[in-house]
Every structure is written in structure tokens, then in C-alpha cells.
Amino acid sequence: MTVARTICLGFVAVILLGAILLTMPFSTGNGNWNDPIVALFTSTSAVCVTGLAVVDTGTDFSFLGQLFIALLAQIGGLGYMTTTTFLMLLIGRKFDLRQKVAIQQALDRPGMSGSSQIIRSIIATTLLFELTGVFLLMIVFVPEKGWQEGTWLAIFHSVSAWNNAGFSLFKDNLIGYQSSPLVIITIGCLIIFGGIGYQVILDMYLWLRDRIVKKTTYLVFSLDFKVATSTTLILLVLGTIAIFCIEIRNDSVFGQLSLSDKILAAWFQSVSTRTAGFNSIDIGKMTNAGLFIMIALMFIGASPGGTGGGIKTTTLRVLTSCTNAILQGKEEVLLYNRKIAISLILKAVGVVFGSLATVIVATVLISITDPKLAFIQILFEVVSAFGTVGLSTGITGTVSIAAKLILILTMYIGRVGVLLLMSSILGDPRPTRIHYPEENLLVG
């Protein structure tokens, strides 16, 4: 079995296990057996850290059901290989070459050295950020809901935010806290750091350690760090400005919020579209222009190595750099004075083409199964599912069973990745020594 197939089947196994647990009476709020489609959809949404929900998570699931959803989101955010490898480390087992290759592919790392140390660091980083989020959210939730419920709300939302899952135990998601800077900023920062990638956080930690502890400035940031941070910052700023300017006169969205709260809400939605799925405004009441901006941001998604989905920020930068090189008449693609390999460019093109094909096919199929839905709503739902975002205009629970199954498959493809899924189906590519002659072709 190929490494790609192991990873893909691992996600399927976790999804099916989660669906079985969520079907049981002890997982539902009313104590009855759950609808298998609802359980499968919820499990897929949790493992794929999407957050799309066909029922109200806070009332339709018991404490055990909510706990299962949080655990599934944690496994999905860390990744199947990271979780299984960590469990192997806990029981003292060593992993072989195949498992090291699987970790390399799952984390999108260039080499296999230090795999166990990387896994430990990822788990430690996850716990540090999630616990910090829990304590900050408890400041708001505990006084309102009491120690028991407030603590659980803080834990659930911190785990959901760090893993970019987007599940909330509130009926209106975070609309009720749109004017609470502590809640919005805490969850927003968890989303950003969870989606920006472990390598970026590690580089940031090493830089701070050298500057503060060792009093040195020798560390040079990696290209991954520069691309991920700069692209994330640009998209957050542009997304905030676009959403604010488009929806500023839409009273159905911002209502009677003050100017500062409107800016905070616009910023949070710009953050959340980066595959998180939380919302502090009513998405269903946004204008078509606002929805389309969010569709673009959802399609781009987070950074490689993070808990989010989408085509990734690095893919966007590689393609924009390709366009810039063509316009300037250059034959090399450069990023921060570094040449980008042809193999990476081809990979970026493959990711975008495969992603577009997935979104188009899923949108067309749901348009056929649910013809009464508006096209912008269908496209928004599909991109949200593929980008593992979880934002919705409110149609998730009303679509047909066929549409739910299509969304389930779309969430799965978005989480494991188009190229990895194709590799699991077709097998690992084989190098060839045959080279064909070049010939010009009219393009553009």
C-alpha cells in the first residue's frame, strides 16, 4: 500500500469511527439514535476541520457527542499521521522508513530527519496555544455560564478555533459575542496561528529565542516563513477592507454596531474565511459582492503545515510570481531572491486545476440535485466545504441527502488534498528517462 493511500484510508477510518460514535444514543441530546447521514456529515465535517453542520451542535448533541466532535476535530487538525505517530511514541514504539515517509508527506516536509522530535514539538505547540485560549475564553464564559458550562465552552471553542474547525456550541455561532473583543480576538488569533503552519511558528520561536535569550541576530527566516506570513497579512488586510467597505451600509449584517465593532467584525470574518468557519455576523444576509469576496478568500485558505485547507497561501504566491515573471519577460520565477523550482510550479498548477475541477463538479451536481437554491449559495457552500472552512449562508441543513453526500466527499477531498488523493488512486509517480523534443504552442 502506498504512503498516500495509507493517509487517505486513515482519514476514512477515523471518519467512519466518528460517525458510528455520533450515531449512538449517548451522543445525542434527546437520547435517541441519530440519523446516520447527520452523524456521517458531522463526523466528516469534524475530521476535515470544516465546521459545516446540519444540526445545532450545542443542543442536538449531548456532552459526550460534543466531546467526540472536539476529539475528531483535534485528530483532523493534527492530521492522521501526526496523531498515530504521537500515540506510537507514547507507547514506546519506533516507526519504520515507510512511516517516516508518510510523516514527511503528511507534514509536507522536505526531509525525514527528526520526525519524532517534530511530532513532539507540534503536540506541545498545540497544547500551549489551546490552553492559552481556554484560560482567556474562561474570563468571559465562566462569569456568564458558571464554572462547569463556562469551562467546557472555553475548551470546546479553543480546540475548534486552533484546529480551524468552526464548530460552535452557540445557536448563532459567535454573533452574540460580536462586541466582545476578548472572545473575538482570542479566537481570531487561535485561527491565524493554527492555520499559518507549524514551521512558521517554529521559526518565530527560534527568532525570539535568539533575540531575547541568546542576544544574537544570526537567524535568517526561511522562505516558507516569509511567504506564509506576508501573504497571510496581505490577505487579512485586504479581506478586512473589502468586507467592511462592501457591507458598511448593510444594516442586516452590521446592524447598530459602533464603528470599532464593525471593523472588528470585518476583521474577524476576514480571519475566519481562512478555513476557520466561525462567524460574528449573519452570512446569509450579506450581499452577493461580499459573499464572492469570501468565496475567493476561502478558496485560497491557510498555509501548508497548518490546520486549515484551501489551495494554500504558498500556492497563490508561486502562481502570482509566475505571472509577474511572464509580464516582466523573465525566464525564472523568483520569490525573495530565491529561484522557485519547476517541480513546485507544476505542483502549484496541479493543485489549482484540481481544486477548480472539484469545486466546479460539486457545484454543478448540487445545482442539479437542489435546483431551487440560488447559485451563489451553492457555490459558497461548495467552496466552504472544499476549503474546509465551514461558513454557510444557512442552507446546510436544508439541502437534499444527495447534496449532503456530495458535500461530504468535497470536504474529504479538501482535507486530504487533491494531489495526495490522486496519488493514492493512481499510485506513486514513476520517473522516466524518456525526453521528448520541445515545440512552441500559442498560449493566451
Side-chain angles (χ1 to χ4, degrees):
M1 183 182 293
T2 63
V3 172
R5 196 167 297 165
T6 300
I7 297 173
C8 291
L9 291 178
F11 272 103
V12 172
V14 176
I15 289 171
L16 293 177
L17 175 61
I20 293 172
L21 291 174
L22 293 178
T23 304
M24 299 296 178
F26 53 70
S27 295
T28 61
N30 56 17
N32 298 324
W33 289 89
N34 201 357
D35 182 347
I37 297 296
V38 171
L40 178 61
F41 191 99
T42 306
S43 178
T44 305
S45 186
V47 174
C48 297
V49 291
T50 305
L52 285 175
V54 291
V55 294
D56 180 26
T57 308
T59 57
D60 285 27
F61 288 99
S62 64
F63 170 75
L64 271 180
Q66 295 169 11
L67 179 61
F68 291 146
I69 291 172
L71 291 175
L72 290 171
Q74 188 75 80
I75 294 172
L78 289 173
Y80 165 74
M81 285 309 304
T82 302
T83 305
T84 52
T85 304
F86 178 66
L87 293 176
M88 291 173 64
L89 290 172
L90 284 180
I91 61 177
R93 282 188 59 187
K94 295 183 179 181
F95 36 93
D96 55 24
L97 179 62
R98 176 180 291 274
Q99 290 162 331
K100 290 183 179 180
V101 174
I103 296 169
Q104 176 199 4
Q105 289 196 11
L107 299 179
D108 200 15
R109 297 183 68 239
M112 292 181 290
S113 60
S115 296
S116 60
Q117 186 60 41
I118 289 293
I119 297 298
R120 291 190 182 96
S121 299
I122 291 175
I123 299 297
T125 302
T126 298
L127 291 176
L128 175 63
F129 275 91
E130 288 183 350
L131 287 174
T132 302
V134 169
F135 289 128
L136 290 174
L137 293 175
M138 284 176 66
I139 297 174
V140 177
F141 293 152
V142 170
E144 290 184 2
K145 308 291 184 179
W147 275 102
Q148 185 174 348
E149 185 181 357
T151 302
W152 172 239
L153 287 172
I155 293 172
F156 186 93
H157 286 86
S158 181
V159 170
S160 184
W162 169 258
N163 292 290
N164 282 212
F167 279 98
S168 176
L169 299 181
F170 302 113
K171 280 184 175 295
D172 59 355
N173 209 282
L174 296 179
I175 295 178
Y177 293 92
Q178 59 185 183
S179 297
S180 174
L182 183 57
V183 172
I184 296 300
I185 293 175
T186 297
I187 290 182
C189 289
L190 285 172
I191 292 168
I192 292 172
F193 283 104
I196 206 168
Y198 167 76
Q199 186 61 47
V200 173
I201 297 175
L202 177 62
D203 283 0
M204 198 178 303
Y205 163 75
L206 294 175
W207 182 82
L208 289 173
R209 186 195 64 181
D210 289 350
R211 296 276 295 193
I212 298 173
V213 180
K214 296 185 177 181
K215 306 295 183 182
T216 61
T217 56
Y218 297 122
L219 179 66
V220 177
F221 287 122
S222 65
L223 185 60
D224 280 324
F225 179 92
K226 294 176 181 178
V227 172
T229 52
S230 61
T231 309
T232 297
L233 181 62
I234 292 170
L235 290 174
L236 288 178
V237 172
L238 293 179
T240 302
I241 294 173
I243 294 172
F244 179 81
C245 292
I246 292 172
E247 304 294 339
I248 184 63
R249 296 183 180 180
N250 188 350
D251 291 336
S252 299
V253 172
F254 287 136
Q256 303 302 316
L257 294 177
S258 64
L259 179 61
S260 59
D261 286 343
K262 289 179 181 178
I263 295 173
L264 183 64
W267 171 80
F268 184 73
Q269 287 314 135
S270 179
V271 171
S272 192
T273 51
R274 312 297 309 293
T275 82
F278 288 102
N279 62 284
S280 61
I281 58 177
D282 191 341
I283 304 298
K285 295 180 180 178
M286 291 182 67
T287 61
N288 286 344
L291 291 176
F292 198 77
I293 290 294
M294 295 182 74
I295 287 172
L297 292 173
M298 290 191 298
F299 187 73
I300 295 169
S303 300
T307 57
I311 63 170
K312 302 295 191 296
T313 53
T314 48
T315 302
L316 175 69
R317 285 297 294 274
V318 168
L319 294 181
T320 53
S321 297
C322 286
T323 304
N324 184 54
I326 292 296
L327 294 177
Q328 293 182 357
K330 297 179 179 179
E331 296 184 354
E332 293 182 343
V333 178
L334 301 177
L335 263 175
Y336 294 100
N337 297 321
R338 294 293 186 271
K339 181 181 176 181
I340 304 300
I342 294 296
S343 59
L344 287 180
I345 297 173
L346 293 176
K347 183 178 180 180
V349 173
V351 167
V352 173
F353 183 81
S355 301
L356 284 173
T358 302
V359 169
I360 291 171
V361 171
T363 303
V364 170
L365 290 177
I366 295 180
S367 297
I368 295 173
T369 60
D370 296 62
K372 293 183 179 180
L373 295 176
F375 175 77
I376 189 69
Q377 290 181 311
I378 297 174
L379 179 62
F380 190 95
E381 200 82 6
V382 168
V383 175
S384 179
F386 175 79
T388 69
V389 181
L391 292 173
S392 175
T393 57
I395 66 171
T396 312
T398 62
V399 297
S400 64
I401 293 178
K404 287 186 177 72
L405 294 175
I406 294 169
L407 289 174
I408 287 173
L409 182 58
T410 304
M411 287 189 286
Y412 175 74
I413 295 173
R415 182 64 186 94
V416 300
V418 175
L419 297 187
L420 189 66
L421 181 62
M422 292 305 299
S423 179
S424 69
I425 297 173
L426 302 177
D428 294 330
R430 298 179 180 178
T432 179
R433 295 183 179 180
I434 301 175
H435 297 280
Y436 296 94
E438 290 185 1
E439 186 171 345
N440 289 328
L441 179 68
L442 295 176
V443 176

